[in-house]
Every structure is written in C-alpha cells, then in structure tokens.
Amino acid sequence: MWQGIRALVTGATGFIGAHLVRRLDELGAEVHAVSRRGTDRERWHQADLSDAAATAELVAKVRPEVVFHLASEVTGVREPETVAPTLAANLGAAVNLLTAVTGTGVRSVVLAGSVEEPSGGEAPGSPYAAAKAAATGYARMFHALWQVPVSVLRVAMVYGPDEPNPRRLVPYVTASLLRGESPELTSGTRLVTWVYVEDVVDAFVRAGADGRAAGHVLDIGTPEPVTIRHTADLIADIVGGPGRPVYGAVAARPLDRTQRSDIEPAARVLGWRPVTSLTAGLTKTVEWHSKRV
C-alpha cells in the first residue's frame, strides 16, 4: 500500500512524528517531513504551519496523497500566557492545513488529537485541551461540509524510547531512578491512560492507509487507566536500585481529571488494538534510558 505514496508528516521531529517517519520509510513511502527547524535530510521541509500562506505553499509543493498532522504545542501549563501559543500551534495550524488540502484530492488526512479533550460538556482542563478540542471540531466540519477525508486520533499518554521531553512523567521518573535519585511527584492518585509509542504508530498507519477512518474521531489508548503511583512504582521495580518516588512533594494541577479511552471504535474502524502491555513497554523504555543516563 505504502510503496511510493507521498506522505506528509508534520511535527516530524516530535516523539510520535519521529517514530512515524521511520515506520513510513520502512514501508517504502515517499516521506516528506515538516518541522519548524530545518535539517539537511532529503524531502525535509521547514515551515511554520501557523502561517496560512506558508502552509498552502508547502501543500502545493509536496502534493501529498496522505497527510499526518502531528505538529503541536504540547503543554499542561494552566497559565493565561499559554492560551495564545497553544491556540496558534494546535488550532490555527490544523485549520491552515485543512484549508490547504481542501479540494486537492488528498486521499487521507489524520490529525493527532488528545485524550485531554473534554467530553460530556466538561470545560477544557487547560489551554492545550481547549485548542485540541476545537481542532477536532473543525476537522469534523471540514469533513461534513467539504468532504475532506480527515480523521482524528485522540491519543492517550504516549511513552516509550526516544522521548525528547525529559520533564514528562516516564522519562523524568526513569532517568531519576537510574541516577539513584528519588523523583518528586504529586500524590499519584490521578488515573491516566498510557499507550506505547509503536502501538500509536500502528494506529496512524492504519488510519492513513485507505481512508476508512475518514469522518471518525477515535480514541487510541488502553482500556483501563492506572494511577500515577502505580506507574511510577512499576518503573522503580523495573529499575531497581535505592531510589523510590516521593509522593505528595508536588502540588496537583487544577482540573487534572481521570483519563479514559474507549478503544472499541478504533477496533471496529481500523482493526486496531494496543499490543504492548504497560510492563513490557516500560521495560523497553527503561532499557533505552539505561544506555544513555
């Protein structure tokens, strides 16, 4: 399916994006990667997708058959000054890209949504969640009004090797424990839904393959959430050593809610289910970090 297919991947230097680019390369796709900072790699484009003209120029140049939109400003910060940056990076960029591909004959567009998006009439818990939820709404509108073959994969908490943000929970706890330190955390009672990065890549590849996901908003996660405490203790057990997590040392963020993913729609539409258990995924992640700490 993928041999010679022109695939555009935005956010290609990000966690999921980098793994997805590698997978598409392996499948034989003609991968055009996009990031804010340039590289000397072939078919690598530098563009600011919050700029509508630059986005339109990029799409016209690449003429993609499949688009994976992962470019994002990922932050859990609850401060007013994060509203404008997350609005531009997570909503403006998505709208610019959807506008640019409308009427081009693109076969499939897959947007990365988030498990943080509110449901059931809840208020968004952060500027990031609000922007992501709005982007999902616009994607549904573009599909309904102009038949853009777009789907949204609402991804849970992704973890795995090569995570570039050391402040996120899994790399922070793992690196601290490998150094013999005790990571300082909240009470650890919050329930979150984890999903291994290669399982996420599987879902994106399936969603982009034949357009069957078009018009759908699908959760990509695992069926049962676990507590932060369970996750951190599991990492500590895998690492061994003297360090143990310290709970209650950090205040919880406001409006941090339980995360849940309903993966049955993804199973029906994509034939996708996660295959990596939390223990197996964290073991692989600890092995990766142990070679670098």
Side-chain angles (χ1 to χ4, degrees):
M1 144 74 205
W2 288 101
Q3 193 66 40
I5 295 294
R6 282 191 309 282
L8 180 66
V9 180
T10 76
T13 58
F15 185 28
I16 302 172
H19 282 264
L20 179 59
V21 166
R22 285 195 289 269
R23 178 74 65 84
L24 292 170
D25 278 335
E26 292 168 359
L27 292 170
E30 179 187 309
V31 182
H32 290 261
V34 187
S35 61
R36 289 177 183 168
R37 59 184 186 274
T39 77
D40 57 2
R41 280 189 51 176
E42 184 183 8
R43 297 194 295 268
W44 199 288
H45 309 268
Q46 185 176 4
D48 180 359
L49 299 179
S50 64
D51 183 328
T55 305
E57 181 181 349
L58 171 70
V59 170
K61 179 180 179 181
V62 174
R63 295 178 295 108
E65 297 168 85
V66 180
V67 176
F68 297 98
H69 180 50
L70 295 103
S72 182
E73 181 73 26
V74 181
T75 176
V77 173
R78 273 80 162 160
E79 297 295 341
E81 57 266 24
T82 63
V83 171
T86 53
L87 182 68
N90 297 312
L91 177 58
V95 170
N96 289 341
L97 187 62
L98 289 167
T99 302
V101 301
T102 299
T104 63
V106 66
R107 290 164 41 174
S108 182
V109 182
V110 187
L111 266 58
S114 172
V115 71
E116 294 287 344
E117 295 176 36
S119 60
E122 292 178 329
S126 68
Y128 169 77
K132 279 293 189 180
T136 294
Y138 272 94
R140 298 180 73 173
M141 182 196 73
F142 270 85
H143 180 262
L145 276 180
W146 302 301
Q147 294 74 56
V148 176
V150 57
S151 59
V152 179
L153 302 188
R154 295 198 303 192
V155 182
M157 299 281 278
V158 187
Y159 72 99
D162 211 14
E163 161 64 73
N165 185 352
R167 296 186 301 275
R168 296 194 70 197
L169 181 76
V170 171
Y172 165 64
V173 171
T174 302
S176 297
L177 292 170
L178 285 169
R179 290 192 296 262
E181 301 167 358
S182 297
E184 297 184 343
L185 303 173
T186 64
S187 66
T189 58
R190 186 192 183 199
L191 288 162
V192 297
T193 302
W194 296 103
V195 61
Y196 190 62
V197 64
E198 292 298 339
D199 288 343
V200 175
V201 170
D202 287 342
F204 274 87
V205 169
R206 287 172 182 259
D210 56 13
R212 59 185 152 167
H216 289 279
V217 178
L218 303 171
D219 287 356
I220 303 300
T222 47
E224 292 299 328
V226 298
T227 64
I228 295 291
R229 181 184 289 263
H230 173 83
T231 307
D233 285 346
L234 183 53
I235 295 172
D237 291 342
I238 294 168
V239 170
R244 297 298 297 186
V246 178
Y247 299 104
V250 178
R253 297 179 303 193
L255 297 182
D256 264 348
R257 301 187 180 98
T258 294
Q259 297 176 348
R260 296 190 185 277
S261 296
D262 179 5
I263 65 171
E264 291 308 313
R268 290 194 301 270
V269 175
L270 303 177
W272 177 89
R273 289 183 184 277
V275 297
T276 308
S277 71
L278 184 59
T279 299
L282 288 175
T283 299
K284 293 178 184 178
T285 305
V286 169
E287 290 173 352
W288 184 87
H289 279 279
S290 67
K291 299 173 183 176
R292 290 160 177 82
V293 171

